């Protein structure tokens, strides 16, 4: 029984070009490698619940129907999103975030009843993202036209994030609006020894009186 | 500054129904949770390289054009796949595997020059998969009609896999074909102490003479 070593000059991997193209299309998604993409595509081929059609339909509808809220720039199905149009929310408090994911994270806390403004990213010269690529002009316009008392900057504390906060605060310095940032420190339930040095250092620098922490 | 706790009766999570549907469609894929699905969908929305169109196009084409090879039941763009139609391959040697992924894994070794037969799974009463759901009849037909000398059963050594091998061998016992299974043992480069007991035990039971191992 001699199984000859079979050297094809062009190394065949996929038995189907269509399959290969589908795997490449899924392999382009964030966090998906070639093996996961193949698993997904094979799953979709073998599936009897029409998951493949559901994906195609959802993507087509998304492309046709997704809008940006004209007030807060969040993704929405209407011209004004359901957060901005909710009459129970405080209209004079706006939380400025990078992306819709931050909106969803804050909404899940169920602790915030103001509105949002989605910047769509942070200023990052290295990645070629300038202030004009973000929804900063819309924010300034909003502060100018509507009665907004406070902007809470819930932006990640990176160099790019700090730059963005600084840029926005400079742009708004003539206007009558308070700008705050979210509190940073060791997280609840987090053990001191596992906190990174920077967070731990900052949390000692910005310590608060015990009586105040009891009320918060 | 009092931020009231805002209790919406219906807990809103997505600002867009279309977005939610797309996330649900992607969240159905194997190994993808809601958070990864949201990340994928947001990536597709923000993407300028038309990745979303590529996925839609690839899935549509896959649905319209993907065939099963009439000989080996592997996925193919033609009626006969490029492995079965390759004139350089040994036609009398067939490796029986569960899925196209096993074909790709064996092809990557570049050590096998025979043909394949893809069963499409293993017999699993618990999951409701019987012999009639697999490509076993096609295999028997193939052995009956074509001159096949040997079937190599490259099936996973689970209870279901062993059942499948037993079922196939029973079906083919009247026919003039040799049935073998792939060798199992401690993998090359694997350290003995980390091999599982079952594999290690089996590899001692099925030891081979040293002179033979030198030739293999």
């Amino acid at each position: 029984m001699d199984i000859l070593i079979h050297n094809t000059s062009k190394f065949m991997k996929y038995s189907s070009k269509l399959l290969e193209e589908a795997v490449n299309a899924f392999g382009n998604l964030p966090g998906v490698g070639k093996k996961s993409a193949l698993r997904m595509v094979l799953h979709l081929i073998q599936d009897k619940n029409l998951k493949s059609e559901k994906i195609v339909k959802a993507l087509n509808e998304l492309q046709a129907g997704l809008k940006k809220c004209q007030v807060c720039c969040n993704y929405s199905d209407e011209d004004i999103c359901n957060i901005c149009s909710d009459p129970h929310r405080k209209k004079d408090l706006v939380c400025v975030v990078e992306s819709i994911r931050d909106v969803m994270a804050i909404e899940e806390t169920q602790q915030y009843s103001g509105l949002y403004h989605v910047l769509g990213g942070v200023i990052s010269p290295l990645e070629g993202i300038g202030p004009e690529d973000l929804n900063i002009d819309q924010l300034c316009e909003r502060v100018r036209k509507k009665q907004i008392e406070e902007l809470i900057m819930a932006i990640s504390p990176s160099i790019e994030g700090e730059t963005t906060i600084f840029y926005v605060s400079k742009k708004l310095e003539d206007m009558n609006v308070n700008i705050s940032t979210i509190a940073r420190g060791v997280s609840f339930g987090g053990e001191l020894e596992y906190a990174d040095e920077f967070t731990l250092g900052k949390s000692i620098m910005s310590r608060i009186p015990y009586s105040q922490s009891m009320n918060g």
Side-chain angles (χ1 to χ4, degrees), chain A:
Chain A
M1 173 174 53
D2 52 358
I3 301 177
L4 293 167
I5 292 179
H6 175 77
N7 279 319
T8 37
S9 54
K10 194 185 135 230
F11 185 48
M12 199 278 306
K13 222 185 138 197
Y14 292 90
S15 59
S16 156
K17 193 80 195 151
L18 294 175
L19 187 65
E20 185 173 2
E21 270 161 26
V23 171
N24 288 340
F26 275 88
N28 272 330
L29 290 169
V32 181
K34 279 283 150 72
K35 290 222 165 181
S36 314
L38 176 63
R39 197 166 145 225
M40 289 177 189
V41 172
L42 290 177
H43 178 86
L44 287 175
I45 295 171
Q46 283 152 8
D47 178 71
K48 291 175 190 83
N49 298 329
L50 302 174
K51 281 183 199 163
S52 174
E53 271 91 342
K54 275 181 202 155
I55 288 181
V56 169
K57 183 165 168 278
L59 285 181
N60 281 334
E61 286 182 355
L62 206 59
Q63 207 140 37
L66 195 69
K67 294 175 183 176
K68 262 192 180 179
C69 170
Q70 290 175 359
V71 178
C72 72
C73 305
N74 195 1
Y75 291 120
S76 168
D77 297 336
E78 312 295 329
D79 288 336
I80 309 290
C81 77
N82 45 13
I83 295 178
C84 289
S85 57
D86 185 341
H88 301 297
R89 282 183 170 260
K90 284 167 74 85
K91 304 283 181 196
D92 57 352
L93 184 64
V94 173
C95 183
V96 180
V97 295
E98 282 179 55
S99 81
I100 183 175
R101 286 200 279 175
D102 301 325
V103 174
M104 289 168 72
I106 295 172
E107 281 300 288
E108 270 180 28
T109 67
Q110 301 198 38
Q111 303 264 324
Y112 178 70
S113 67
L115 304 181
Y116 294 93
H117 192 88
V118 179
L119 290 184
V122 284
I123 298 170
S124 170
L126 277 179
E127 291 176 42
I129 303 172
E132 65 284 355
D133 300 314
L134 306 176
N135 303 317
I136 292 178
D137 286 342
Q138 288 94 322
L139 178 62
C140 296
E141 192 76 10
R142 196 173 164 189
V143 172
R144 198 174 298 121
K145 286 194 180 160
K146 309 231 167 124
Q147 183 119 35
I148 292 172
E149 208 166 276
E150 184 179 353
L151 287 186
I152 304 171
M153 307 297 285
I155 308 281
S156 52
S158 58
I159 294 176
E160 290 85 4
E162 299 288 358
T163 307
T164 310
I165 295 175
F166 182 74
Y167 183 89
V168 171
S169 65
K170 271 284 165 199
K171 270 250 177 183
L172 295 173
E173 67 184 349
D174 297 336
M175 286 180 238
N176 186 25
V177 61
N178 297 312
I179 300 181
S180 59
T181 63
I182 55 171
R184 303 204 180 272
V186 179
S187 57
F188 288 96
E191 296 193 42
L192 286 200
E193 57 177 322
Y194 297 120
D196 65 287
E197 294 157 31
F198 188 77
T199 302
L200 193 53
K202 282 275 182 185
S203 78
I204 292 168
M205 298 290 284
S206 46
R207 62 196 177 277
I208 47 175
Y210 182 60
S211 57
Q212 198 179 323
S213 77
M214 296 290 281
N215 300 328

